[in-house]
Amino acid sequence: MTSSALVPSSAELCPDRTAEVSRTTAETRVTVRVNLDGTGAASLHTGIGFFDHMLDQIARHGLIDLQIDCDGDLHIDGHHTVEDVGITLGQAFARAVGDKKGIRRYGHAYVPLDEALSRVVVDFSGRPGLHLHIPFTAGSIGGFDTQLTYEFFQGFVNHAGVTLHIDNLKGINAHHQCETVFKAFARALRAALERDPRAAGVIPSTKGSL
């Protein structure tokens, strides 16, 4: 008879994947709460409406519960706000995902929106790396500087410890271009973070650590 002490508890098999991280600088005050096994609920307050709309895509299409509050120096511009939200979100993901045992590790997604099409590929490798190509057709979308898309993802990958490839393959409308990127990012995250029942408790690497 197998000893009950040797049988993993449900908590050990499915540990809580949540985190809360706060970051305060002279430029911003950011608090991020994530639940990687959520339902897509979101409460987002960055002061930049279009950016909130993009963050909502991460929650909704990644099935990640996400709460973000940021008080930034928007009287200057949105740079510090967007970058620091990316940094803090990356830190929260790194904390929530833990030792990465049992996750699929890799995820990819193609997402269309009318004429636009984007592809995102992610690897929870432990090695930060961003390769991004989005030929935006406009410099701003609803007050959001499209250049800050890079700053958000750069902050995220550096602190989440992921390799991320983002390519907008087609697109004429900048809103569509950006939205397909964030939706594809969300779907790729969902795939990579999904627990693999065939590899429960196993780190998905021949090195034995990520």
Side-chain angles (χ1 to χ4, degrees):
M1 181 179 293
T2 303
S3 168
S4 61
L6 299 178
V7 179
S9 68
S10 59
E12 291 172 321
L13 290 173
C14 296
D16 185 34
R17 299 197 297 177
T18 63
E20 178 176 339
V21 176
S22 294
R23 171 185 168 85
T24 300
T25 71
E27 298 163 340
T28 62
R29 292 188 299 277
V30 186
T31 297
V32 171
R33 299 177 183 87
V34 299
N35 177 1
L36 302 183
D37 301 303
T39 62
S43 175
L44 307 163
H45 305 95
T46 68
I48 305 173
F50 183 78
F51 186 40
D52 287 349
H53 180 48
M54 294 300 98
L55 295 171
D56 196 23
Q57 307 309 316
I58 297 174
R60 185 70 55 87
H61 296 281
L63 290 183
I64 296 164
D65 291 346
L66 186 58
Q67 181 176 342
I68 298 177
D69 294 288
C70 180
D71 180 15
D73 55 359
L74 294 179
H75 62 286
I76 296 175
D77 66 8
H79 189 116
H80 301 139
T81 290
V82 174
E83 181 179 34
D84 287 3
V85 166
I87 289 170
T88 313
L89 184 64
Q91 292 171 337
F93 264 71
R95 186 174 299 178
V97 77
D99 60 14
K100 304 174 189 172
K101 286 182 179 178
I103 68 169
R104 295 192 184 276
R105 174 178 168 178
Y106 301 100
H108 72 275
Y110 287 80
V111 169
L113 175 56
D114 297 341
E115 88 298 343
L117 174 67
S118 292
R119 176 186 62 216
V120 174
V121 185
V122 65
D123 174 12
F124 275 78
S125 60
R127 298 184 301 277
L130 175 63
H131 306 274
L132 180 148
H133 177 67
I134 311 173
F136 277 116
T137 59
S140 65
I141 310 167
F144 176 80
D145 182 347
T146 54
Q147 294 183 91
L148 298 183
T149 307
Y150 176 89
E151 303 303 329
F152 169 77
F153 286 113
Q154 185 70 76
F156 179 84
V157 302
N158 283 345
H159 293 270
V162 302
T163 301
L164 185 63
H165 288 252
I166 296 174
D167 290 282
N168 171 240
L169 304 174
K170 297 179 180 180
I172 297 172
N173 181 285
H175 186 132
H176 293 171
Q177 289 178 289
C178 200
E179 189 165 332
T180 56
V181 163
F182 275 84
K183 285 179 175 177
F185 175 60
R187 298 292 298 194
L189 287 177
R190 179 176 169 182
L193 293 170
E194 185 179 39
R195 291 187 171 97
D196 186 347
R198 297 178 60 195
V202 177
I203 293 175
S205 171
T206 55
K207 297 191 296 293
S209 65
L210 285 171

